[in-house]
Every structure is written in C-alpha cells, then in structure tokens.
Amino acid sequence: MATELIVAVDVPNLEQASRVLDQLADSVRWFKVGLQLFTASGPGVVREIRARGGKVFLDLKFYDIPNTVAGAAQSAAALGVEMFNVHVSGGEAMMRAAMEGGAQTTGARPLVIGVTILTSQPATEADVLKLARSAKTSGLDGVVCSAREAVTLKRELGADFKLVCPGIRPAWSEKGDQNRIVTPRDAVKAGADYIVVGRPILAAANPAEAAKRVMEEMHGAY
Ligand code: C5P
C-alpha cells in the first residue's frame, strides 16, 4: 500500500474546520480529528468530513476500563471513522475490548492504532518496541510512532502492522515545536503507512498547494 497523507485538523471549532475542508477536501483523502476539535464540535465534524468524501482518523487516545473502551470504540465505529486510537499502556484486555467494540458495526471495521509512549515522555526505542509488540499481540492494527523508529518496527513486527507517523516536516516548512522531525520523503522510504501532517499544511499561505507539495514529495520517494 502506498503511504497515505493524513492532515491533522488541529483547529478550535467546526467553522474553522469547515474552512480547512473547503481548501483540502478535493485533494486530501484522510483527516485527523483530535481532542481540541472533537471536544468543541462533537461528532458533527466527523460527519462533515465524511459527507465531503474524506476518511477520518479519530485521535482521542482512549484509555479506560475495558468495558468503557469497548463502548467508545463501538461509538467510533458507528460514526463511520476509518481509524481510531487507544493507549497501549491501558493493557491487553483494554486493547482487545477496543478491537471487539470497533467490530460492532455493519460497515467496515475501523483500524485500531496504539499509542505507545507520548513523545513528551522519555523513552528508548526498546521501550517503544516492547509496547508495540504488546499492541500486536493484543490484535491492534498498528501503532503511532516516529518515522525514525519505522525501519525497526517494520522489521520486528512485520509489513502488515501499520505505522502512523507524525513529526513530519518538509524541508521548506517551519519546524515548530517538533524536534525529531523527518521529511515526507524519508518517512515513506522508512516504511510509514500513514504520515500525519498538521501545521506545515494548515499554516501555509496556500494549504492546498502545501498539501500538493507534500504528496508530490511522497510520490517522488518510490
Ligand atoms: O502540526 P504538526 O504537523 O506538528 O501536527 C502533528 C499532529 O500529530 C498533531 O495533531 C499532534 O498532536 C500529533 N502527534 C504528534 N506527535 C506524537 C503523536 C501525535 O505530533 N507523538
């Protein structure tokens, strides 16, 4: 599968999200809805993205007792999101509950992705690998990771285990607060299945043009 671009719609409300979609829905297939936007707009933003033909990565990082996470997963699947995530540190029973809840849908089952260790916390590659293994053993479809870890994770966990990589910066964009950045081209070469890009596209003078440049750079990596 060719690497997919996911644009992080990190804006505070539905009005601003609609503006982003006006600019990008024709060219970008995947959008990430995170805590800020979902808390402000609720499921309406997911419906709007889907109505415009987009796919949704619901980035709410579920972490609770298995029964509660199963319910949240079922709600996410009912909304029609194509991907959502849970904290691997919630444990194997919680991850299995997320898989089972997500499968309770008449439509396609969403991909369930594990969050290993937040980049704001200290961690070694061995720590990340251990948690990623636990995600795989528990039946998850993949993990969020830095593209710098992608080669090792693909080698250890197999080609089918999906890697979703944020911390991406094209050479022409501002670094912002991301430290261990990787270019779209290098992320594709490292084996990322999805790259998540926010500010380099959203804050560009012309977001559609910026998205196009990122996608061209991705295609140039093959
Ligand atoms: O604007 P930027 O491209 O840095 O956005 C990256 C997105 O990926 C943000 O929504 C951020 O929350 C998310 N993310 C991240 N680093 C992680 C996990 C998620 O930047 N380790």
Side-chain angles (χ1 to χ4, degrees):
M1 186 190 92
T3 309
E4 292 268 3
L5 168 65
I6 304 179
V7 172
V9 191
D10 291 330
V11 295
N13 54 48
L14 186 56
E15 292 68 40
Q16 289 194 37
S18 296
R19 244 173 278 150
V20 169
L21 293 169
D22 287 341
Q23 292 163 322
L24 297 177
D26 286 344
S27 55
V28 174
R29 210 178 347 231
W30 280 85
F31 295 92
K32 179 170 87 72
V33 174
L35 287 165
Q36 182 187 19
L37 179 57
F38 194 80
T39 302
S41 71
V45 70
V46 173
R47 296 197 187 100
E48 177 156 352
I49 293 169
R50 298 194 69 235
R52 292 174 186 242
K55 296 181 184 234
V56 177
F57 169 19
L58 189 64
D59 177 19
L60 300 182
K61 302 183 180 69
F62 298 144
Y63 181 94
D64 211 312
I65 57 171
N67 187 58
T68 302
V69 167
Q74 192 171 346
S75 295
L79 264 181
V81 308
E82 274 80 10
M83 180 187 290
F84 69 89
N85 55 5
V86 302
H87 276 284
V88 176
S89 54
E92 190 168 330
M94 191 204 78
M95 288 187 274
R96 291 194 186 282
M99 294 303 296
E100 282 160 23
Q104 304 294 311
T105 171
T106 49
R109 173 180 80 72
L111 294 172
V112 186
I113 300 296
V115 175
T116 56
I117 299 172
L118 296 171
T119 36
S120 48
Q121 305 275 62
T124 64
E125 191 174 81
D127 297 329
V128 172
L129 180 58
K130 187 166 168 232
L131 285 163
R133 263 193 219 291
S134 161
K136 186 171 179 187
T137 309
S138 306
L140 262 54
D141 297 295
V143 289
V144 179
C145 68
S146 161
R148 290 170 187 246
E149 295 150 355
V151 171
T152 304
L153 291 181
K154 280 285 178 190
R155 187 183 63 228
E156 297 294 325
L157 301 173
D160 291 343
F161 194 65
K162 308 272 185 254
L163 302 181
V164 180
C165 302
I168 304 292
R169 289 290 176 271
W172 45 265
S173 72
E174 293 286 329
K175 187 158 151 293
D177 58 3
Q178 295 280 13
N179 282 319
R180 300 174 65 238
I181 50 173
V182 177
T183 65
R185 183 171 189 279
D186 287 345
V188 169
K189 286 170 82 100
D193 295 285
Y194 301 86
I195 64 169
V196 179
V197 184
R199 287 161 291 181
I201 291 174
L202 295 196
N206 182 338
E209 181 60 31
K212 191 163 154 253
R213 281 178 80 180
V214 170
M215 288 186 277
E216 280 169 4
E217 187 179 328
M218 291 166 71
H219 293 141
Y222 293 106

